[in-house]
Amino acid sequence: MAITAPITVRSHPAHPVAVRGVGRTFPPRDRGGRAKAVLADVDLDIAAGEIVALIGASGCGKSTLLRQVSGLDAPTAGQILIDGTPVAGIDDRCAVAFQEPRLLPWRTLAQNVAIGLPRGTDRTAGAQRVTELLELVGLGECTGYRPRQVSGGMAQRASLARALARNPGVLVLDEPFGALDALTRLKMQDLLLEVHAAEPTTVLLVTHDVDEALYLADRVVLLGRPDGAPTSAPAGVRSVVTVPGARPRDRADAQLALLRAQLLEGLGVPSHHVAHDADAHHSI
């Protein structure tokens, strides 16, 4: 889906993110149980305005790391800095969009987006901003609709608009397109790139889809446990891949096919399961 409405580029700042030696250990659930170390010694620098995708096996701590960045959870070791200032609690510099839209069913799309506006926003200015954002995500004619009246893709677009309403310096996306059908997912990927061009911000994205990561991100970070480590071992950064080429990219680009094979091998998918020719396209 391409944006047809005029786009006003806003000049709010994108913030750099620094992850320094971050670890997260969860206490035992039951008396006598064992604590569970999910992350250990995670170091990562994200430049202002960069799109970085996190991939890794289920349970390796991708969403946990997102929660540390946004302040929804606190690391048990290390620290996270946004624009040089440590994150301490829920951080107004961040906005989060999840796999499910989580819209309030009794409110219109416009009213749901307005929830994301910073506190103290002038009513007239806020209404104008909500209208602008709904136009930006292609929902300008649906402002009065309620969530039950729109498709899953439209609801997810409204969720993205709500996150942008905060004017975040860092946008955190936790598998935002994972619940959508394949065609809608591709359209939402294109929409995210168009929105990023119009609303430049730093984006940290979790996805299980290697093709999605390579299409959207400047860099792809593979999280996982060290080779030979037990399944109870905490995860860390296994590798960081820089994706060549300017966005939007050709999904069938030969360079992306090679990086796809490399990342899939890092995820434990044997190379003989991956087609290496330039015309191959894989989505997992």
Side-chain angles (χ1 to χ4, degrees):
M1 187 202 77
I3 297 173
T4 57
I7 295 175
T8 302
V9 176
R10 296 172 64 86
S11 58
H12 60 77
H15 295 318
V17 178
V19 180
R20 295 285 180 265
V22 163
R24 182 64 170 103
T25 299
F26 292 95
R29 294 183 177 180
D30 305 308
R31 182 177 297 178
R34 292 184 178 180
K36 181 175 179 58
V38 176
L39 296 171
D41 300 320
V42 177
D43 288 293
L44 182 64
D45 285 288
I46 304 172
E50 189 178 18
I51 299 179
V52 170
L54 298 177
I55 65 171
S58 295
C60 73
K62 301 183 299 297
S63 294
T64 298
L65 184 56
L66 287 194
R67 292 177 63 83
Q68 316 300 309
V69 172
S70 61
L72 294 173
D73 188 31
T76 47
Q79 65 175 347
I80 293 172
L81 302 98
I82 295 178
D83 202 20
T85 304
V87 173
I90 295 176
D91 201 296
D92 289 340
R93 296 169 294 180
C94 289
V96 184
F98 300 96
Q99 182 173 351
E100 298 297 331
R102 302 187 182 184
L103 303 178
L104 300 179
W106 60 88
R107 296 198 176 198
T108 65
L109 296 188
Q111 290 169 337
N112 271 283
V113 172
I115 293 172
L117 293 170
R119 292 182 182 179
T121 300
D122 174 79
R123 179 173 296 182
T124 301
Q128 181 178 350
R129 177 65 173 149
V130 167
T131 298
E132 180 184 50
L133 286 169
L134 287 170
E135 290 284 351
L136 179 63
V137 299
L139 294 174
E141 297 181 357
C142 305
T143 59
Y145 287 31
R146 286 181 166 77
R148 68 176 180 276
Q149 297 174 291
V150 300
S151 67
M154 294 168 75
Q156 199 63 23
R157 281 186 259 159
S159 175
L160 180 58
R162 180 180 58 193
L164 291 169
R166 187 180 292 275
N167 294 332
V170 180
L171 180 61
V172 176
L173 304 175
D174 193 358
E175 290 194 73
F177 313 139
L180 303 176
D181 65 84
L183 180 58
T184 303
R185 184 169 189 149
L186 294 179
K187 291 180 178 179
M188 286 296 297
Q189 292 168 7
D190 288 332
L191 174 66
L192 177 61
L193 294 183
E194 294 179 53
V195 167
H196 184 262
E199 298 270 340
T201 189
T202 305
V203 178
L204 183 58
L205 164 78
V206 159
T207 179
H208 281 287
D209 188 327
V210 172
D211 289 305
E212 181 170 87
L214 291 171
Y215 184 66
L216 293 175
D218 298 298
R219 289 185 298 151
V220 180
V221 177
L222 175 62
L223 290 182
R225 300 175 182 87
D227 291 333
T231 56
S232 59
V237 175
R238 293 288 307 275
S239 63
V240 180
V241 171
T242 299
V243 186
R247 298 185 297 263
R249 302 184 177 103
D250 180 354
R251 297 179 190 272
D253 187 283
Q255 294 183 87
L256 298 189
L258 292 173
L259 290 177
R260 182 186 307 119
Q262 176 184 332
L263 289 169
L264 288 172
E265 287 213 39
L267 289 166
V269 179
S271 58
H272 63 269
H273 288 167
V274 183
H276 291 276
D277 61 279
D279 294 327
H281 179 77
H282 304 275
S283 181
I284 60 172

